[in-house]
Amino acid sequence: MFLRQLEPRTARTTAEVIKFALWPLAVMTVLNRVFIKAVNGFITDDYRPVYQASLDFLNGRPVYTANFDSVDPHYLYPPSGTLLIAPIAAIDYEKSRWLFIALNAIAILIAWYLLLRLFRYTLNSVAAPALLLAMFMSETVINTLVFTNVNGCVLLAELVFIVLLLKRRDLWAGVALGLSIAVKPTLAPLLLIALVRGQWKVFVTALGVPVALTAIAWPLSKDASKFFTRTFPYIFESRDYFNSAIVGNGEYYGLPPWLTWSMRLVMGVLVLLTLWLLYRYYRDDELFFVCTSSGVLLTASFLLSSLGQMYYSMMLFPLLMTVVLRNSVLRNWPAWLAIFGFMSYDKWLSDRWQNVGRNLEYLRITFGWGLLLIVVFCVLGDRYLAARREGRLPFGIDPAWMSSAPDSRDGSPESPPVSSEAATADSPRSRNGSAPMEQKRISVEQ
């Protein structure tokens, strides 16, 4: 029976052949990243200051004592984050680090599964091994595990938030977001999506959880107030090393402040216009709107804030997965050139052309984030202008040919997550006058 699986009497389908090829590649890549690369570690160690701060917290010693004049990783988590992470210091450093690697790897795997289900794919689809392989070959997953930071858990919180938000489980969605904000504020911009969707209950728990955890941690911490007087101001300062935000590269290359601010303002206006187009014409296409808007918001925060690091790009996986949707803004080669810039693990440092190689390596992340925002704006802007010329604005901005673009299903009859409001709407048309677009996907089985 086993040998028959190796050479069946009937021909394999193309999808089945691809799955058989991708699964071992994906599984072995995951094992290599977790048990070899991550355990080996690297000169950059994000975990040691976290472990030391947790150890100091458990022993009643000051926590916020980092030397901000050095380029070593600093401990920047608030008291609420310290409280959540402190148990990792209950055992010795090496075993604690291994457990933290395992925790983040498991979180990434759960996020991978949730991302599949969010877009209505199963473990039996080609998308499952393809997505798993792509995630664990990316710089963001590799360095999250190798540097041993908490981004894997933050990605899981993002996926849980999106899933629960689409199901209108507002309070629990806020809990997921609040736990991540309690540790680091990376996902805080996603509150804007809950705001424009009128899901106010999200704010109760998203803000209440970190406030409650801070209240618990405050009397247990030796120097909790120093986070707000010393560490918090530093977080908003820009630095010229390990910083791919516009302001970081501007300082590294010695650009005048007016030029740096001009670039940030131009990109900020572009982001606002993009978000307006998404809200005006796609807010009833819930999966597309939430995943695309979240990606735009987070990319803008990485690019325009005081600090943006390459492995933050992990939070953009929901946006990248929208490529399977019929009205995706990522179905073009410039978008994937941008994605290569901030997702690829390739190094562009060159022994022969040192200056060129250094510039390519340092700027590719910044250019990638910037190009992605420009591409999304241009795609939506072109749709808007074409619809206005043709008098189709009252009916939405998707072109007519899009209705016959490739559809995708993995054989599952289930429906995408929709709100109870959408399910009980009296009118077959959306709030902007257009028919609500069905969640459409590329077929990966044919």
Side-chain angles (χ1 to χ4, degrees), residues 130-288:
L131 178 61
L132 184 63
L133 180 62
M135 289 175 72
F136 277 83
M137 288 190 67
S138 67
E139 184 277 345
T140 181
V141 169
I142 293 173
N143 280 343
T144 286
L145 297 174
V146 172
F147 298 167
T148 319
N149 58 53
V150 77
N151 286 338
C153 296
V154 177
L155 174 65
L156 176 58
E158 179 187 13
L159 263 298
V160 172
F161 168 74
I162 290 175
V163 169
L164 294 175
L165 191 77
L166 290 172
K167 291 183 177 181
R168 300 283 173 172
R169 303 288 296 275
D170 295 357
L171 290 176
W172 285 111
V175 169
L177 197 60
L179 287 172
S180 73
I181 294 173
V183 178
K184 57 193 303 186
T186 305
L187 300 182
L190 299 187
L191 285 170
L192 181 61
I193 295 177
L195 176 66
V196 299
R197 285 169 56 86
Q199 294 177 254
W200 307 103
K201 291 181 181 179
V202 169
F203 288 83
V204 175
T205 44
L207 300 179
V209 167
V211 169
L213 290 173
T214 300
I216 297 171
W218 197 276
L220 302 176
S221 179
K222 184 77 171 179
D223 59 344
S225 61
K226 281 193 174 180
F227 171 79
F228 296 97
T229 60
R230 186 171 182 270
T231 304
F232 192 71
Y234 171 78
I235 293 174
F236 288 93
E237 294 178 7
S238 59
R239 67 192 197 197
D240 61 0
Y241 63 93
F242 302 140
N243 188 359
S244 297
I246 288 176
V247 64
N249 270 321
E251 290 190 13
Y252 179 81
Y253 285 100
L255 298 182
W258 68 265
L259 181 56
T260 301
W261 273 107
S262 297
M263 288 188 287
R264 295 169 81 182
L265 289 172
V266 169
M267 292 301 298
V269 171
L270 182 147
V271 168
L272 290 176
L273 291 173
T274 300
L275 293 173
W276 180 82
L277 288 169
L278 286 169
Y279 175 75
R280 176 66 180 84
Y281 296 103
Y282 290 102
R283 63 184 182 271
D284 291 307
D285 188 355
E286 293 191 310
L287 181 60
F288 173 79

